[in-house]
Amino acid sequence: QEQQGNAPAAQETENKEVTLKVATLIPPMTEMLELVKPLLKEDGISLELVVLSDNIQPNDALANKEVDANFFQHVPYMNQYNESKNSELVAVQPVYHAVYGAYSKRYKNMEELPEGATIAIANDPSNTGRSLVMLEKAGIIKLKEGVGINATVTDITENAKKFKFEEVDLLMLARMLDDADLVLMTPAYASPLGLTPKKDALLTETTDSAFAITLVARADNQDSEPIKKLAERLSGPEVKQFLETKYSEIAIPAFE
Amino acid sequence: MISLQEVSKSYKSGEGIFEAVQSVSLTVREGTIHGIIGPSGAGKSTLLRMMNVLELPDQGKVMVGGKDLTTLPEKELRLARRSIGMIFQQFHLLNNRTVSGNVSVPLELAGIGKKQRKERVQECLKFVGLPDKARQYPAMLSGGQKQRVAIARALAHRPSLLLCDEPTSSLDPGTTAEILDVLRHINKTLGVTIVIVTHEMDVVKEVCHAVSVVEQGRLTDGFELEVRPGKSDITQRPSYREQLLGKAGMRDV
Amino acid sequence: MISLQEVSKSYKSGEGIFEAVQSVSLTVREGTIHGIIGPSGAGKSTLLRMMNVLELPDQGKVMVGGKDLTTLPEKELRLARRSIGMIFQQFHLLNNRTVSGNVSVPLELAGIGKKQRKERVQECLKFVGLPDKARQYPAMLSGGQKQRVAIARALAHRPSLLLCDEPTSSLDPGTTAEILDVLRHINKTLGVTIVIVTHEMDVVKEVCHAVSVVEQGRLTDGFELEVRPGKSDITQRPSYREQLLGKAGMRDV
Amino acid sequence: MFDFSLMLEKFMEYRTQIAEAVGETFLMVGISVLAAILLGLPLGTMLFLTAKGQLRENVTWSVILNGFVNVVRSFPFLLLVVFMIPVTRFLVGTAIGTVAASVPLGIVSIAIYARQVEQSLFEVPRGVVEAAQSMGASKLGIVCKFLFVEARSGLVLGLTTSTISFISYSTVMGVVGGGGVGDFAIRYGYQRFETELMAAVIILMIILVQLVQFAGSMISRWLDKR
Amino acid sequence: MFDFSLMLEKFMEYRTQIAEAVGETFLMVGISVLAAILLGLPLGTMLFLTAKGQLRENVTWSVILNGFVNVVRSFPFLLLVVFMIPVTRFLVGTAIGTVAASVPLGIVSIAIYARQVEQSLFEVPRGVVEAAQSMGASKLGIVCKFLFVEARSGLVLGLTTSTISFISYSTVMGVVGGGGVGDFAIRYGYQRFETELMAAVIILMIILVQLVQFAGSMISRWLDKR
Ligand SMILES: Nc1ncnc2c1ncn2[C@@H]1O[C@H](COP(=O)(O)OP(=O)(O)OP(=O)(O)O)[C@@H](O)[C@H]1O
Ligand SMILES: Nc1ncnc2c1ncn2[C@@H]1O[C@H](COP(=O)(O)OP(=O)(O)OP(=O)(O)O)[C@@H](O)[C@H]1O
Ligand SMILES: [Mg+2]
Ligand SMILES: [Mg+2]
């Protein structure tokens, strides 16, 4: 890929302070990065958040060296990207699990769901796949052999109760509770409605999920000092405490 | 029919107030053809436009057929205007309607049926000598033809009062004579009152029963004229050469 | 100066082809005032517009000052047009420019400096009797005033040929006489060739050296006229009343 | 840059989904165009009539109507969609799907076209209105028989430009499951990295937009007799 | 519906971020308006001049220029942003951030305003061009001294409408980190369910749009001497 006047990765400034650019999307990721910002300052690293609102661009930006790392995705999604774009993004540090859950306003458990009920799922590929895989694991549908996280609605081979799937934007999921019989979403979207996976979900992902939100860098800088420092801070006690106090219900630390 | 009472109109412009019409009082008797003459910029058009209150006077009354148009509620004003035809100095035709479409508009507004409308449109176009241009658009017409469409449009709904702002300014003497014949005819047989703003003295001499002279926004003179014997004999009009040189022509070029 | 050679122009419309000008040949001698007369819709404007090829003839040559404008490359045509002034039948003023802005346009195009431009604009507006309307916009003018702005604009860049399409159609006799004096003056002192389309026989009688008659798209007559003694005495023009009634007035209204 | 045979192949592979997406786009844009004509045209006319110096000059109404149009246009479209969910649900019973997506899209369409209408009407020469008044035309008569007639080529061009905007707006209606060609291109092409498929679908959109513009320009030119 | 004191409180709490967002919006929209005037105006003029029956009628150029405008307008905006990343990077050195976001926004702005310009020029009466030609004006002279003068109120109204579209488009520039008020509203208000904050920011946008529209209408009316 041609690079033109591209800001070099970790830039040395006059007072030897290093600037580290990290792409991210929404809270709690942004909040966690904000939290470690002053901590990294102590290490001589100036952390700069690049907040984007699309889940391809953070990877594109990282692959094109416009940022030094990103923090918004889980590893399966990253692998999907690497495969498609022949890039070499690497997982550096898993930070937290966000447990997917299925919520409903009308029904108390999965058995109550009537035949032909509407299920709202996210419309971006990784979350579509993730939702369908979750439903498959719960034995509600069957998917084509071996599609895994790449599954789409067309890959459903068995759908005993003839559920209808509506794919809507991630951001829209929470608003769909009134319209759909069942909504599958991450805690980040459910929590503002006062819903938590533990208490309210009719169905949750199994906790050994591979979907921990992970700090991602490139093959060429994963071992650089600033990235290591960032990984260290993101898996440090401050973050752990922050998650446990503020997001105890919805974000489980993925590090010791 | 019309009585303007002390009407005035002034325009604000960058450099102060311009008094276009200054307390003019004027009476147009029912059934007459009344001329308004005066130099360019005197206020003739403004005065004429006050007669159907397209231009609302700053003060004064505009009595038409016994009603003061300046105070009439909108709906009644609309009705009153339906019986007033107007020919604008700049024609104001609808460019996106054909010639017959233009003439038909006042009839449509009056709710007249399609068939009758068509007949009347043809009739009016014949009056002004344009039956063969019925399906053309105004952009395809010559200046004089546009003017004649405007005349036909003003006549279409058989108004009882006709306001004409220089209706023959773009017409040659022959066509002018024809149009004047039409005006004289509807005035005589249907009793239509006609007000004509013009700067052609021949037009005044030919058809007007009375004349008002406007200069610098004021009425400076007004008098009656002897009524002419009637229809001029168009077939006997002299040729252009005769009009200009007399019966004997001069060197050809 | 101008020689039209067998020019024709036809328009396609829904109902077939309309021949507006049919193989007309016409010569306008340098330094003369040439009238074109004829009934409404005869093709006078079309003919005039061919003289600066605003209307490109379907066939025939348009020789102006020794060059055939129909075949001139664009750039040269532009230059040629710079020395031709034109007064349109519908004026075609720029509504978003003031009166002086309008008159100034041809000077701007000719690249004349600001100060000189201003002087010339004032001068031209004086010619047409509108010096006090310099800062008004066309929408604020009466019909005749608009026409006079168009005249001033056509005179501004001192053209050597002036094409006038009914230049006095909206003017009263007094103003007409003034404008004709201006035309006669520039013709006499500067040798400007002038072509006037008009339907006012008085205008022709007053200023034209030669006349062409156009009827139904064809040149049907052409002749010369005796040249008048010169400047008419405006100050002694009879009043409107005198023009209409003779020296002794009639009943007042 | 692109492999055309691969594009064609991909296109064929996904043809049923693409056909469905095209249908969704037509439905959403069709409803929007209808809303623009049925409500945007009158609204724009009212904007014009109540403006300063016009036929029905009325500060209150002018402020209200301008306010409505400006408010609709101020909202980030995504938020408008969200804000309107209760309205949408009230109107069509659900807030998800193509028909539901047409509700916010229609509202935006009305606002967009109203401005175009207003602008076109401002171009009608004053003399036309005067002629209408002199004939005793009612306000409605002036609007229908005079203003619309003289402004018609502008109204059509405005509708053309607006329709292309609606198509553009419709591409983000995926947020509420509206679907459509643009959403298809984003989801299948962009998010699943099927570059050829995306290119094929975009070419489809370009053709669609070209057709709309071409038809609009032709009709406008044909209607213009000035 | 909303608690105004809470709104105000939230607004004050986030005032530095909001100020920054406003700055970003001004930067993006400012660049777009500049692009629209510097490039959209000439492009729209060329669209007009090369159209059928116009001064520089030229089928080839007409097709090319119309093609460009239509292609830009056909792209789902998100995909245009993505497609243009290499160009953006070439032009401003990066593809991320407010300045980078201005590149695709600017391109769309040029296309949008070009159409408005074309439309306004179509409204100029033919006689104006004839008068210009009779004076021997060059093409450039006809355009600058005649067409633009007579179309100026329409050109300003068109720019007003376009600017509001640019503001609207700028709200989705969050994809490449463009920021701005709209993105702020979506990010903080919508995604974090800070409804009061969102409402406050939207009110800010409404005020901004109202101001643009009001100024545009005023200037247009003032320039219109017809
Ligand atoms: N674009 C056009 N399409 C069709 N016919 C046209 C077009 N332009 C002019 N004509 C016709 O050509 C004829 C001559 O028009 P022209 O304007 O030259 O007349 P004119 O002699 O100037 O008349 P007037 O004295 O009324 O101005 C008219 O009958 C008119 O209808
Ligand atoms: N809107 C306006 N603003 C400023 N002045 C105006 C306006 N309308 C008309 N006037 C002025 O009012 C005067 C009278 O105009 P009017 O049109 O009545 O003249 P007129 O007698 O019809 O002249 P003409 O014979 O040239 O048509 C003119 O001097 C004109 O400049
Ligand atoms: Mg007048
Ligand atoms: Mg003529």
Side-chain angles (χ1 to χ4, degrees), chain C residues 104-246:
Chain C
S104 158
V105 171
L107 301 170
E108 289 171 27
L109 291 174
I112 288 168
K114 197 168 175 180
K115 202 169 146 254
Q116 269 174 292
R117 231 158 53 206
K118 216 173 149 181
E119 274 168 26
R120 179 67 184 159
V121 168
Q122 270 308 313
E123 194 178 7
C124 289
L125 286 180
K126 235 173 255 161
F127 284 158
V128 299
L130 287 176
D132 51 323
K133 296 283 182 187
R135 285 154 73 184
Q136 309 270 302
Y137 287 91
M140 304 168 172
L141 300 181
S142 78
Q145 290 167 342
K146 279 183 204 153
Q147 187 157 44
R148 286 183 279 161
V149 176
I151 295 171
R153 183 172 71 174
L155 296 178
H157 56 309
R158 303 180 205 274
S160 57
L161 169 61
L162 193 59
L163 306 175
C164 317
D165 201 346
E166 313 204 349
T168 56
S169 64
S170 305
L171 301 176
D172 60 290
T175 316
T176 299
E178 286 173 37
I179 295 294
L180 293 183
D181 277 339
V182 171
L183 294 184
R184 204 157 24 203
H185 176 76
I186 61 168
N187 169 256
K188 237 189 205 153
T189 59
L190 306 171
V192 176
T193 310
I194 302 177
V195 183
I196 303 184
V197 170
T198 187
H199 55 262
E200 292 168 296
M201 294 307 128
D202 291 343
V203 170
V204 177
K205 282 184 196 162
E206 193 90 355
V207 297
C208 291
H209 302 107
V211 174
S212 299
V213 180
V214 180
E215 280 164 306
Q216 297 192 321
R218 298 185 175 280
L219 193 72
T220 54
D221 202 355
F223 46 89
E224 296 199 358
L225 286 170
E226 221 160 322
V227 185
R228 292 273 166 135
K231 203 174 163 86
S232 60
D233 196 343
I234 302 161
T235 52
Q236 286 196 8
R237 284 194 73 80
S239 75
Y240 282 103
R241 181 183 282 249
E242 281 166 357
Q243 285 179 55
L244 289 168
L245 303 178

Side-chain angles (χ1 to χ4, degrees), chain B residues 5-11 17-26 41-44 46-47 50 57-60 214-220:
Chain B
Q5 291 167 23
E6 297 278 326
V7 291
S8 298
K9 180 83 195 182
S10 56
Y11 294 106
I17 287 167
F18 182 85
E19 306 214 32
V21 171
Q22 296 173 52
S23 64
V24 167
S25 297
L26 180 84
K44 305 181 295 295
T46 310
L47 205 59
M50 280 183 189
D58 297 333
Q59 55 198 51
V214 181
E215 279 164 306
Q216 298 192 322
R218 296 186 175 282
L219 192 74
T220 55

